[in-house]
Amino acid sequence: MTDYQHILIIDDDKTFIKVNHKIFSNLTGCTNVNFKMSGTTALEFLKEMHAQQQFPDLITLDWKMELGNGMDFLKAYQEKYYSNYPQTNILIITEASQEVQSQTSEFAFVKGVLPKPLQSTQLKEIL
């Protein structure tokens, strides 16, 4: 498992965020876990983190959010940040994991697609 120093969780479900903060903290030992409720606010946050040279090592992305879907976020991320941060991994967490896997296979930085609800055993395997 990679040693993550900074994790960003993007999801519009507050319950999911609370539960997964614990899972990620316990599995990775990472204490710097941030949350954003939309792809738009996440991209703004990444802009700030880039300026401060504190870019996340791992980003988890809810595929279906009311404000901006996963594909929009991936395209914007690839255009703005991937070349500067090739070591940052993105993990997609969604109900429709099979369908999304085929849509995201072209993005080298997508480490995997996991189904909701997230199981810590599946997360541990992919990390």
PDB file of all heavy atoms in Angstrom, residues 6 32 34 44-56 85:
ATOM      1  N   HIS A   6      -1.784  13.021   1.755  1.00  0.00           N
ATOM      2  CA  HIS A   6      -2.891  13.964   1.567  1.00  0.00           C
ATOM      3  C   HIS A   6      -3.940  13.311   0.662  1.00  0.00           C
ATOM      4  O   HIS A   6      -3.626  12.926  -0.454  1.00  0.00           O
ATOM      5  CB  HIS A   6      -2.345  15.246   0.925  1.00  0.00           C
ATOM      6  CG  HIS A   6      -3.354  16.346   0.805  1.00  0.00           C
ATOM      7  ND1 HIS A   6      -3.074  17.518   0.166  1.00  0.00           N
ATOM      8  CD2 HIS A   6      -4.630  16.465   1.233  1.00  0.00           C
ATOM      9  CE1 HIS A   6      -4.125  18.309   0.207  1.00  0.00           C
ATOM     10  NE2 HIS A   6      -5.092  17.684   0.851  1.00  0.00           N
ATOM     11  N   ASN A  32      -4.336  13.965   6.866  1.00  0.00           N
ATOM     12  CA  ASN A  32      -4.694  15.124   6.050  1.00  0.00           C
ATOM     13  C   ASN A  32      -5.694  14.685   4.981  1.00  0.00           C
ATOM     14  O   ASN A  32      -5.333  14.413   3.849  1.00  0.00           O
ATOM     15  CB  ASN A  32      -3.429  15.718   5.416  1.00  0.00           C
ATOM     16  CG  ASN A  32      -3.697  17.041   4.736  1.00  0.00           C
ATOM     17  OD1 ASN A  32      -4.794  17.582   4.791  1.00  0.00           O
ATOM     18  ND2 ASN A  32      -2.685  17.559   4.065  1.00  0.00           N
ATOM     19  N   ASN A  34      -9.159  15.818   3.080  1.00  0.00           N
ATOM     20  CA  ASN A  34     -10.070  16.919   2.782  1.00  0.00           C
ATOM     21  C   ASN A  34     -11.282  16.395   2.031  1.00  0.00           C
ATOM     22  O   ASN A  34     -11.221  15.349   1.406  1.00  0.00           O
ATOM     23  CB  ASN A  34      -9.366  17.966   1.911  1.00  0.00           C
ATOM     24  CG  ASN A  34      -8.223  18.631   2.636  1.00  0.00           C
ATOM     25  OD1 ASN A  34      -7.081  18.350   2.348  1.00  0.00           O
ATOM     26  ND2 ASN A  34      -8.525  19.490   3.583  1.00  0.00           N
ATOM     27  N   GLU A  44     -11.444  23.881  -7.689  1.00  0.00           N
ATOM     28  CA  GLU A  44     -10.993  25.126  -7.056  1.00  0.00           C
ATOM     29  C   GLU A  44      -9.993  24.816  -5.939  1.00  0.00           C
ATOM     30  O   GLU A  44      -8.976  25.488  -5.788  1.00  0.00           O
ATOM     31  CB  GLU A  44     -12.184  25.909  -6.498  1.00  0.00           C
ATOM     32  CG  GLU A  44     -13.057  26.518  -7.573  1.00  0.00           C
ATOM     33  CD  GLU A  44     -14.381  27.047  -7.041  1.00  0.00           C
ATOM     34  OE1 GLU A  44     -14.546  27.172  -5.795  1.00  0.00           O
ATOM     35  OE2 GLU A  44     -15.257  27.342  -7.875  1.00  0.00           O
ATOM     36  N   PHE A  45     -10.300  23.793  -5.153  1.00  0.00           N
ATOM     37  CA  PHE A  45      -9.418  23.372  -4.061  1.00  0.00           C
ATOM     38  C   PHE A  45      -8.068  22.907  -4.622  1.00  0.00           C
ATOM     39  O   PHE A  45      -7.012  23.254  -4.075  1.00  0.00           O
ATOM     40  CB  PHE A  45     -10.093  22.243  -3.273  1.00  0.00           C
ATOM     41  CG  PHE A  45      -9.235  21.665  -2.184  1.00  0.00           C
ATOM     42  CD1 PHE A  45      -9.043  22.363  -0.993  1.00  0.00           C
ATOM     43  CD2 PHE A  45      -8.629  20.433  -2.332  1.00  0.00           C
ATOM     44  CE1 PHE A  45      -8.253  21.830   0.019  1.00  0.00           C
ATOM     45  CE2 PHE A  45      -7.842  19.894  -1.334  1.00  0.00           C
ATOM     46  CZ  PHE A  45      -7.654  20.600  -0.144  1.00  0.00           C
ATOM     47  N   LEU A  46      -8.087  22.132  -5.707  1.00  0.00           N
ATOM     48  CA  LEU A  46      -6.839  21.661  -6.316  1.00  0.00           C
ATOM     49  C   LEU A  46      -5.992  22.822  -6.818  1.00  0.00           C
ATOM     50  O   LEU A  46      -4.762  22.783  -6.733  1.00  0.00           O
ATOM     51  CB  LEU A  46      -7.131  20.669  -7.449  1.00  0.00           C
ATOM     52  CG  LEU A  46      -7.699  19.327  -7.004  1.00  0.00           C
ATOM     53  CD1 LEU A  46      -8.038  18.470  -8.224  1.00  0.00           C
ATOM     54  CD2 LEU A  46      -6.731  18.586  -6.087  1.00  0.00           C
ATOM     55  N   LYS A  47      -6.656  23.857  -7.301  1.00  0.00           N
ATOM     56  CA  LYS A  47      -5.931  25.052  -7.754  1.00  0.00           C
ATOM     57  C   LYS A  47      -5.176  25.675  -6.572  1.00  0.00           C
ATOM     58  O   LYS A  47      -4.006  26.038  -6.688  1.00  0.00           O
ATOM     59  CB  LYS A  47      -6.923  26.051  -8.359  1.00  0.00           C
ATOM     60  CG  LYS A  47      -6.282  27.259  -8.976  1.00  0.00           C
ATOM     61  CD  LYS A  47      -7.354  28.143  -9.617  1.00  0.00           C
ATOM     62  CE  LYS A  47      -6.739  29.383 -10.239  1.00  0.00           C
ATOM     63  NZ  LYS A  47      -7.761  30.238 -10.844  1.00  0.00           N
ATOM     64  N   GLU A  48      -5.849  25.770  -5.415  1.00  0.00           N
ATOM     65  CA  GLU A  48      -5.216  26.303  -4.204  1.00  0.00           C
ATOM     66  C   GLU A  48      -4.064  25.401  -3.749  1.00  0.00           C
ATOM     67  O   GLU A  48      -2.996  25.887  -3.385  1.00  0.00           O
ATOM     68  CB  GLU A  48      -6.229  26.391  -3.058  1.00  0.00           C
ATOM     69  CG  GLU A  48      -7.306  27.419  -3.223  1.00  0.00           C
ATOM     70  CD  GLU A  48      -8.388  27.279  -2.160  1.00  0.00           C
ATOM     71  OE1 GLU A  48      -8.099  26.791  -1.038  1.00  0.00           O
ATOM     72  OE2 GLU A  48      -9.547  27.633  -2.461  1.00  0.00           O
ATOM     73  N   MET A  49      -4.292  24.096  -3.765  1.00  0.00           N
ATOM     74  CA  MET A  49      -3.273  23.149  -3.310  1.00  0.00           C
ATOM     75  C   MET A  49      -2.054  23.177  -4.248  1.00  0.00           C
ATOM     76  O   MET A  49      -0.920  23.046  -3.796  1.00  0.00           O
ATOM     77  CB  MET A  49      -3.836  21.730  -3.224  1.00  0.00           C
ATOM     78  CG  MET A  49      -4.877  21.540  -2.141  1.00  0.00           C
ATOM     79  SD  MET A  49      -4.254  21.815  -0.455  1.00  0.00           S
ATOM     80  CE  MET A  49      -4.652  23.535  -0.163  1.00  0.00           C
ATOM     81  N   HIS A  50      -2.296  23.356  -5.528  1.00  0.00           N
ATOM     82  CA  HIS A  50      -1.212  23.472  -6.505  1.00  0.00           C
ATOM     83  C   HIS A  50      -0.368  24.713  -6.175  1.00  0.00           C
ATOM     84  O   HIS A  50       0.857  24.645  -6.129  1.00  0.00           O
ATOM     85  CB  HIS A  50      -1.787  23.556  -7.921  1.00  0.00           C
ATOM     86  CG  HIS A  50      -0.776  23.864  -8.974  1.00  0.00           C
ATOM     87  ND1 HIS A  50       0.221  22.987  -9.321  1.00  0.00           N
ATOM     88  CD2 HIS A  50      -0.603  24.974  -9.734  1.00  0.00           C
ATOM     89  CE1 HIS A  50       0.965  23.543 -10.273  1.00  0.00           C
ATOM     90  NE2 HIS A  50       0.494  24.737 -10.537  1.00  0.00           N
ATOM     91  N   ALA A  51      -1.034  25.822  -5.904  1.00  0.00           N
ATOM     92  CA  ALA A  51      -0.332  27.075  -5.581  1.00  0.00           C
ATOM     93  C   ALA A  51       0.492  26.933  -4.298  1.00  0.00           C
ATOM     94  O   ALA A  51       1.574  27.498  -4.181  1.00  0.00           O
ATOM     95  CB  ALA A  51      -1.336  28.217  -5.447  1.00  0.00           C
ATOM     96  N   GLN A  52      -0.002  26.137  -3.347  1.00  0.00           N
ATOM     97  CA  GLN A  52       0.684  25.939  -2.064  1.00  0.00           C
ATOM     98  C   GLN A  52       1.640  24.739  -2.091  1.00  0.00           C
ATOM     99  O   GLN A  52       2.250  24.418  -1.081  1.00  0.00           O
ATOM    100  CB  GLN A  52      -0.336  25.735  -0.950  1.00  0.00           C
ATOM    101  CG  GLN A  52      -1.219  26.931  -0.709  1.00  0.00           C
ATOM    102  CD  GLN A  52      -2.320  26.620   0.289  1.00  0.00           C
ATOM    103  OE1 GLN A  52      -2.232  25.704   1.095  1.00  0.00           O
ATOM    104  NE2 GLN A  52      -3.391  27.394   0.240  1.00  0.00           N
ATOM    105  N   GLN A  53       1.722  24.074  -3.211  1.00  0.00           N
ATOM    106  CA  GLN A  53       2.541  22.866  -3.382  1.00  0.00           C
ATOM    107  C   GLN A  53       2.181  21.804  -2.338  1.00  0.00           C
ATOM    108  O   GLN A  53       3.041  21.186  -1.733  1.00  0.00           O
ATOM    109  CB  GLN A  53       4.031  23.212  -3.335  1.00  0.00           C
ATOM    110  CG  GLN A  53       4.418  24.130  -4.474  1.00  0.00           C
ATOM    111  CD  GLN A  53       5.897  24.428  -4.511  1.00  0.00           C
ATOM    112  OE1 GLN A  53       6.612  24.302  -3.530  1.00  0.00           O
ATOM    113  NE2 GLN A  53       6.368  24.812  -5.682  1.00  0.00           N
ATOM    114  N   GLN A  54       0.881  21.622  -2.139  1.00  0.00           N
ATOM    115  CA  GLN A  54       0.369  20.609  -1.200  1.00  0.00           C
ATOM    116  C   GLN A  54      -0.678  19.754  -1.900  1.00  0.00           C
ATOM    117  O   GLN A  54      -1.754  19.505  -1.375  1.00  0.00           O
ATOM    118  CB  GLN A  54      -0.247  21.287   0.024  1.00  0.00           C
ATOM    119  CG  GLN A  54       0.740  22.047   0.850  1.00  0.00           C
ATOM    120  CD  GLN A  54       0.066  22.751   2.027  1.00  0.00           C
ATOM    121  OE1 GLN A  54      -1.120  22.623   2.267  1.00  0.00           O
ATOM    122  NE2 GLN A  54       0.849  23.497   2.763  1.00  0.00           N
ATOM    123  N   PHE A  55      -0.363  19.299  -3.087  1.00  0.00           N
ATOM    124  CA  PHE A  55      -1.321  18.572  -3.909  1.00  0.00           C
ATOM    125  C   PHE A  55      -1.600  17.191  -3.316  1.00  0.00           C
ATOM    126  O   PHE A  55      -0.692  16.527  -2.803  1.00  0.00           O
ATOM    127  CB  PHE A  55      -0.764  18.429  -5.329  1.00  0.00           C
ATOM    128  CG  PHE A  55      -1.828  18.371  -6.382  1.00  0.00           C
ATOM    129  CD1 PHE A  55      -2.473  19.523  -6.794  1.00  0.00           C
ATOM    130  CD2 PHE A  55      -2.184  17.171  -6.968  1.00  0.00           C
ATOM    131  CE1 PHE A  55      -3.454  19.483  -7.773  1.00  0.00           C
ATOM    132  CE2 PHE A  55      -3.165  17.108  -7.938  1.00  0.00           C
ATOM    133  CZ  PHE A  55      -3.799  18.271  -8.347  1.00  0.00           C
ATOM    134  N   PRO A  56      -2.859  16.725  -3.377  1.00  0.00           N
ATOM    135  CA  PRO A  56      -3.185  15.393  -2.830  1.00  0.00           C
ATOM    136  C   PRO A  56      -2.471  14.255  -3.575  1.00  0.00           C
ATOM    137  O   PRO A  56      -2.209  14.354  -4.768  1.00  0.00           O
ATOM    138  CB  PRO A  56      -4.698  15.276  -3.043  1.00  0.00           C
ATOM    139  CG  PRO A  56      -5.181  16.651  -3.339  1.00  0.00           C
ATOM    140  CD  PRO A  56      -4.030  17.418  -3.894  1.00  0.00           C
ATOM    141  N   TYR A  85       1.325  16.380 -11.814  1.00  0.00           N
ATOM    142  CA  TYR A  85       1.190  15.426 -10.705  1.00  0.00           C
ATOM    143  C   TYR A  85       0.900  14.014 -11.210  1.00  0.00           C
ATOM    144  O   TYR A  85      -0.144  13.438 -10.894  1.00  0.00           O
ATOM    145  CB  TYR A  85       0.084  15.881  -9.740  1.00  0.00           C
ATOM    146  CG  TYR A  85       0.336  17.259  -9.198  1.00  0.00           C
ATOM    147  CD1 TYR A  85      -0.295  18.363  -9.755  1.00  0.00           C
ATOM    148  CD2 TYR A  85       1.237  17.465  -8.158  1.00  0.00           C
ATOM    149  CE1 TYR A  85      -0.044  19.640  -9.279  1.00  0.00           C
ATOM    150  CE2 TYR A  85       1.498  18.738  -7.679  1.00  0.00           C
ATOM    151  CZ  TYR A  85       0.857  19.822  -8.242  1.00  0.00           C
ATOM    152  OH  TYR A  85       1.105  21.084  -7.777  1.00  0.00           O
TER     153      TYR A  85
END
